[in-house]
Every structure is written in C-alpha cells, then in structure tokens.
C-alpha cells in the first residue's frame, strides 16, 4: 500500500468548526508535509514538519507528528467555506529527493 | 515569480496520436517532477530530474511514455501513441536544492488530458 494514507477519505463540517485529518506512513522520514488541492488546480504546500518536531503551527493550521506511531494529524481551526479542498500528506523517505503522496482527504466546509 | 508553468492546460486527442506536455519550472529550481493524477490511482510520480538529468523513471508506466529536460527551464512529457487509459491530469512540480531539510514542491496548474 502507499506511503502516506489519509483518514478520513471525506469530511463534511459546518463553517466555524474544526477539521482534523490524519495520515499514516510506513517508512522512516526526514519530514512530512501537507498540501491542499482546490478543485481543478495544482497542489499547494501548506506546512512541513521535521522528524524531530512533534507539533507545528501556521495560522489556523496545527500539525502533529508521532514518529513512533508513524502518524500525523492536520487540524484546521475555525474552518471557512474557502477551506473546502482535498488535503494530502506527503512523506519524503530518508533520501529526501522524492515525495510520496497519500490518497487525500476531501474536506467540505458548509456555509 | 510566475510559478511553474504548464501547457497546454487542456488537451483532447484521439487514441493513437502523439501528445506532448510542456513544463517550465521555477527559475533556479534544481529538481523537476512529473506526476499523474487519476481518481483510481491518486497522485503518482512518473519521473523526476535533478539538474536536467533523469534520476528516477520507475514510475513511467510504459515505453509509450518519455520525458526530457533539455535545459534548466524546460521539460516535456511525451506519450506516443496515446491510449484512453492515459486520460488523467498531469502535473509538473519543481523545487530548489536540498537545504536545511526543506524539500517542499511547487506545482503547476496541470494539464488535463483526454484521450478518446
């Protein structure tokens, strides 16, 4: 199976609520990244967390990383309709050259 | 900075025809990646280049697919002959050299290919 698998596959919430997405991976990493993809667009980098970090914040985003469980979570607080998109985690393995993307979580934020 | 530029944005062709997708990476970036995205298989890495040299082409599905990077500012992905199962969105991405462990990639808008 793929390195980097998101859970849930789809999430629907109301504006103002928090959204949490999870990612599991299988091999050692240098870092883990989260990307967003709006419908019909390319992926956009959101945040990167290194393997020696446990938590990182950027605006309304909070990412955690548990290397012992090989898992990460992305929390979007106070969601907005504009947050509606697919969210992907990506891991780089130990070579760092390439990224392997998960299957993504489709987030829908209802106004 | 204009970001990663891809052309065409949409391509509709008939089975058996040759298709060429083009990519201009961000100036100064050393790495260039070609991905394919479908509902069934998600986002797949096809090939990537470092300093214009192909490093890993293990994701290229068949000999019908080929990619080149003649210089630092241009790459092509060619499918010849095309088949309906090649229908997908093809993304190009680029990134800078490995520094401080940051290897985020910058994606182009993609080319939506439909093979009839």
């Amino acid at each position: 199976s793929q390195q980097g698998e998101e859970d849930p596959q789809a999430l629907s919430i109301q504006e103002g609520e928090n959204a949490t997405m999870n990612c599991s991976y299988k091999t050692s990493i240098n870092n883990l990244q989260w990307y967003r993809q709006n419908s019909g667009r390319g992926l956009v980098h959101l945040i990167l967390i290194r393997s020696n970090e446990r938590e990182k914040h950027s605006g309304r985003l909070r990412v955690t990383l548990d290397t012992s469980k090989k898992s990460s979570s992305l929390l979007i607080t106070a969601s907005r309709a504009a947050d509606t998109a697919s969210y992907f985690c990506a891991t780089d393995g130990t070579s760092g050259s390439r990224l392997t993307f998960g299957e993504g979580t489709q987030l829908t934020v209802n106004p | 900075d204009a970001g990663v530029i891809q052309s065409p944005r949409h391509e509709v062709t008939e089975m058996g025809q040759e298709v060429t997708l083009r990519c201009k990476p961000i100036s100064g970036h050393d790495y260039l990646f070609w991905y394919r995205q479908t509902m069934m298989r998600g986002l797949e890495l096809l090939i990537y280049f470092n300093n214009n040299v192909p490093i890993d082409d293990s994701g290229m599905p068949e000999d019908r697919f080929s990619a080149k990077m003649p210089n630092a500012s241009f790459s092509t992905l060619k499918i010849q002959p095309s088949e309906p199962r090649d229908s997908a969105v093809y993304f190009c991405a680029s990134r800078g050299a490995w520094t401080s462990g940051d290897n985020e990639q910058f994606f182009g808008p993609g080319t939506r290919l439909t093979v009839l």
Side-chain angles (χ1 to χ4, degrees):
Chain A
S1 56
Q2 286 192 42
Q3 174 91 328
E5 298 182 0
E6 289 88 347
D7 166 49
Q9 288 189 322
L11 180 61
S12 182
I13 60 174
Q14 295 300 122
E15 209 164 26
E17 294 180 341
N18 295 340
T20 299
M21 290 159 271
N22 302 297
C23 169
S24 61
Y25 59 94
K26 297 185 185 303
T27 64
S28 297
I29 60 173
N30 289 302
N31 62 58
L32 184 144
Q33 303 175 35
W34 286 90
Y35 288 76
R36 182 187 72 217
Q37 183 180 32
N38 290 88
S39 181
R41 303 286 188 91
L43 280 72
V44 175
H45 181 265
L46 293 176
I47 192 167
L48 178 152
I49 185 165
R50 303 181 201 280
S51 60
N52 61 354
E53 297 176 315
R54 292 297 167 259
E55 186 171 314
K56 198 165 185 178
H57 297 254
S58 176
R60 294 184 296 113
L61 304 179
R62 171 177 170 256
V63 172
T64 62
L65 179 65
D66 187 335
T67 53
S68 66
K69 295 181 180 178
K70 291 187 168 56
S71 67
S72 173
S73 68
L74 171 67
L75 168 67
I76 304 174
T77 61
S79 63
R80 306 166 181 168
D83 295 328
T84 294
S86 291
Y87 291 82
F88 295 86
C89 69
T91 52
D92 68 344
T94 51
S95 71
S97 296
R98 54 178 292 172
L99 296 178
T100 302
F101 288 82
E103 297 174 354
T105 293
Q106 172 62 51
L107 173 66
T108 302
V109 181
N110 301 298
Chain B
D1 193 335
V4 176
I5 298 172
Q6 291 187 248
S7 64
R9 293 294 309 277
H10 302 273
E11 177 81 27
V12 180
T13 189
E14 293 188 345
M15 183 174 63
Q17 296 297 307
E18 176 181 303
V19 174
T20 299
L21 311 181
R22 297 172 177 79
C23 175
K24 176 179 169 56
I26 292 173
S27 177
H29 278 186
D30 301 284
Y31 287 83
L32 183 140
F33 304 83
W34 281 101
Y35 293 90
R36 177 174 68 178
Q37 186 178 39
T38 62
M39 290 292 292
M40 291 296 293
R41 294 186 298 270
L43 193 65
E44 304 172 280
L45 176 65
L46 300 177
I47 185 172
Y48 78 92
F49 296 83
N50 178 213
N51 292 322
N52 312 336
V53 176
I55 302 301
D56 184 352
D57 65 354
S58 60
M60 297 286 263
E62 299 171 34
D63 292 344
R64 298 184 296 107
F65 285 69
S66 63
K68 294 182 180 180
M69 192 164 186
N71 56 64
S73 60
F74 184 65
S75 178
T76 59
L77 178 66
K78 183 179 294 186
I79 308 173
Q80 179 184 24
S82 58
E83 296 183 3
R85 60 192 167 124
D86 301 331
S87 297
V89 181
Y90 291 81
F91 289 102
C92 176
S94 70
R95 73 164 174 89
W98 176 265
T99 55
S100 304
D102 288 347
N103 52 3
E104 66 178 277
Q105 295 181 14
F106 296 81
F107 281 74
T111 294
R112 182 173 295 277
L113 173 65
T114 302
V115 183
L116 304 174

